[in-house]
Amino acid sequence: MPEPRRDDARTAEAPRRAALVTLGCARNEVDSEELAGRLAGSGWELVDADGDAPADVIVVNTCGFVEQAKKDSIDTLLAASDAAQGTGAKVVAVGCLAERYGAELAESLPEADAVLGFDAYPDLAERLADVIGGHAPAPHAPVDRRTLLPLTPVERPAAAADVAVPGHAWVTGLSISGPGRTRLSDGPVAPLKLASGCDRRCAFCAIPSFRGAFVSRAPDDVVAEAAWLGMQGVRELMLVSENSTSYGKDLPGGTRALVRLLPRLANVPGIDRVRLSYLQPAEMRPDLVQVIATTPGVAPYFDLSFQHASPAVLRRMRRFGSREDFLALCAQIRTHAPEAGIRSNVIVGFPGETEADLVELEAFLTGARLDAVGVFGYSDEDGTEAEGYDGKLPAEEVAARVARISALVDELMAQRAEDRVGTEVEVLVEAAEDEDFECTGRAAHQAPEVDGECVFERGSGLEVGDMVRAVVVGTEGADLLVSAREPLPRSQIATGDLARAGAARVSG
């Protein structure tokens, strides 16, 4: 075995070094930045896993959502272990895969020096120090996290103080030493967590069992963190949770809390665009549709989890709706904002899905004119209701249906993009032009990573973080080719005391 590399510049008094590697969704990004804040607040130095300064420990924030995500997480842990052979670094698994499988993951993956669940997050610095010292804690023992909080949502806020809820600790770190979140990127877009957990019981989804019952963050806490992000150079907030339409169900104002919160966030200094994600169609109310579609500073963007359009399949999924219901919702949205962006995900090959069900889904997709659609083939997930269903389709048939719907979706998304030629869009630049790539960014109807993007003409001279008004001049699939017209000024950035720049500064 090669001898671990030594860093001669370090002394006994030098801080421990940790590298954080994040997999999965934007919710995990928030969790990683909270962990980074905890470590930085405890005197640790944060380094890049691929940087010149070797880490003492590599923390991999895993994803445990679907089979491919699990594989990617395990591959990343193995790659981190291989890299650590030359430095002596320890490798620690955290996140959803670690929470979901705990000791089972530790037994099957000895390359990880420790497997820590969510309950370890508040004391992460101490736990990592133990691992470095050769005293790794016992592997996490998974539990159904829905059992940790009261069944009734209104009773949860007080009880949640005694349960680790990742991504909710920012305000508890708001003190003289600064916030409890440390940004791990300097881009102009940042995710901001509204809530954690989910009370829905979709037959195909295991997330509630390891993320727990639904818990909203207090509105003032969300606004305070938004103000801090604005001071860090963020121009767009991406509001995330497992189910954003349930926000406020466990707060005094009820679900109307989200309708009141969005305008507050749109008025936060430095923030020019607020984007809401993870919406349940069955929970969309007319007042919420209107506030998203018409509030200045809120992107008219609807990330709606349709999953299917056949009533029979939806009922087996433990969901609600139909092609007619979903088309009516799309029409309602476009009544308020004709150019609104609407995206969704669908699952094909669900147990019992017939040819008629698939035709019903095709009819919905054709009529809905969605801007972006993710197509997933059904596969069993451990511990879900659907795992025990009859009517399972052969893997090759599921793959054929994925290919069929994907081909339709690609055609429809390209047509929807072509509909936008000649229209004006406001684009936030996220990648500057270089010798190999054009300058790119996103319009209001395009979310990070999951949707198309806007591509500027060469020689635009734009920089990352610029917001510009542009005209759509062409398309490439779901991507828009745009020509810049004029820059848009940034809203005034708050200065002074962080707490004043937060909730107290933006009135409710």
Side-chain angles (χ1 to χ4, degrees), residues 400-470:
R401 295 186 182 195
V402 169
R404 171 178 164 180
I405 298 301
S406 295
L408 174 63
V409 160
D410 288 345
E411 179 182 351
L412 294 172
M413 290 193 301
Q415 292 174 3
R416 178 61 176 155
E418 290 169 0
D419 290 342
R420 296 185 182 274
V421 173
T423 64
E424 282 193 347
V425 289
E426 294 183 358
V427 183
L428 177 60
V429 177
E430 295 187 58
E433 180 181 318
D434 61 25
E435 61 182 15
D436 297 317
F437 298 101
E438 293 92 349
C439 174
T440 59
R442 293 176 302 98
H445 70 281
Q446 298 167 319
E449 299 182 5
V450 295
D451 300 337
E453 61 182 5
C454 292
V455 182
F456 287 90
E457 301 167 320
R458 280 202 168 271
S460 61
L462 298 170
E463 298 181 356
V464 173
D466 287 345
M467 182 88 79
V468 296
R469 183 173 288 110

Side-chain angles (χ1 to χ4, degrees), residues 3 17 56 68 99 110 158 192 218 311 430:
E3 177 144 348
R17 288 174 175 162
D56 295 300
Q68 185 59 51
E99 175 64 37
L192 174 59
E430 295 187 58

Side-chain angles (χ1 to χ4, degrees), residues 40-341:
S42 298
W44 285 62
E45 179 183 353
L46 301 172
V47 298
D48 190 337
D50 299 321
D52 293 333
D56 295 300
V57 60
I58 303 171
V59 181
V60 180
N61 190 355
T62 60
C63 179
F65 179 38
V66 292
E67 198 61 37
Q68 185 59 51
K70 298 174 194 175
K71 182 180 183 303
D72 291 344
S73 293
I74 291 171
D75 288 346
T76 302
L77 285 163
L78 291 172
S81 177
D82 288 343
Q85 294 299 315
T87 65
K90 302 293 186 179
V91 176
V92 174
V94 300
C96 292
L97 190 70
E99 175 64 37
R100 186 175 180 183
Y101 293 103
E104 180 183 344
L105 177 64
E107 182 177 357
S108 63
L109 196 71
E111 291 84 356
D113 295 286
V115 174
L116 304 179
F118 297 150
D119 292 332
Y121 285 14
D123 304 312
L124 185 67
E126 182 179 344
R127 300 292 184 92
L128 295 185
D130 288 342
V131 174
I132 292 172
H135 306 290
H140 164 66
V143 298
D144 187 334
R145 296 191 73 83
R146 290 171 292 191
T147 63
L148 302 182
L149 289 170
L151 185 63
T152 305
V154 294
E155 298 176 355
R156 290 178 191 158
D162 298 322
V163 175
V165 184
H168 287 222
W170 186 85
V171 169
T172 62
L174 184 58
S175 64
I176 296 174
S177 63
R181 175 177 178 177
T182 295
R183 293 206 71 202
L184 297 174
S185 72
D186 57 1
V189 182
L192 174 59
K193 192 169 281 193
L194 282 176
S196 288
C198 185
D199 289 340
R200 300 184 71 89
R201 295 295 182 266
C202 300
F204 54 82
C205 183
I207 289 175
S209 66
F210 57 85
R211 276 291 183 176
F214 186 88
V215 181
S216 301
R217 296 182 66 194
D220 285 353
D221 293 357
V222 177
V223 176
E225 188 168 349
W228 177 79
L229 288 168
M231 295 170 68
Q232 308 305 305
V234 171
R235 294 192 74 169
E236 178 178 321
L237 299 175
M238 184 173 172
L239 306 180
V240 299
S241 71
E242 277 73 26
N243 177 10
S244 296
T245 36
S246 283
Y247 179 78
K249 65 184 287 186
D250 50 344
L251 300 176
T255 52
R256 279 193 56 81
L258 184 56
V259 171
R260 293 191 291 269
L261 176 63
L262 289 172
R264 291 182 64 189
L265 291 170
N267 286 322
V268 168
I271 301 300
D272 292 296
R273 189 153 71 196
V274 177
R275 183 183 306 277
L276 192 60
S277 60
Y278 304 108
L279 304 172
Q280 288 290 340
E283 297 180 20
M284 292 298 295
R285 306 175 309 279
D287 58 345
L288 182 56
V289 170
Q290 183 173 1
V291 76
I292 296 172
T294 64
T295 302
V298 175
Y301 176 81
F302 294 80
D303 176 16
L304 294 162
S305 177
F306 290 123
Q307 302 299 354
H308 213 282
S310 164
V313 174
L314 288 166
R315 298 305 177 270
R316 282 176 69 84
M317 289 179 169
R318 302 295 184 196
R319 297 177 66 84
F320 305 93
S322 65
R323 170 165 56 118
E324 292 75 15
D325 293 336
F326 296 160
L327 289 176
L329 177 56
C330 293
Q332 180 186 3
I333 290 168
R334 289 177 175 135
T335 297
H336 292 291
E339 299 302 322

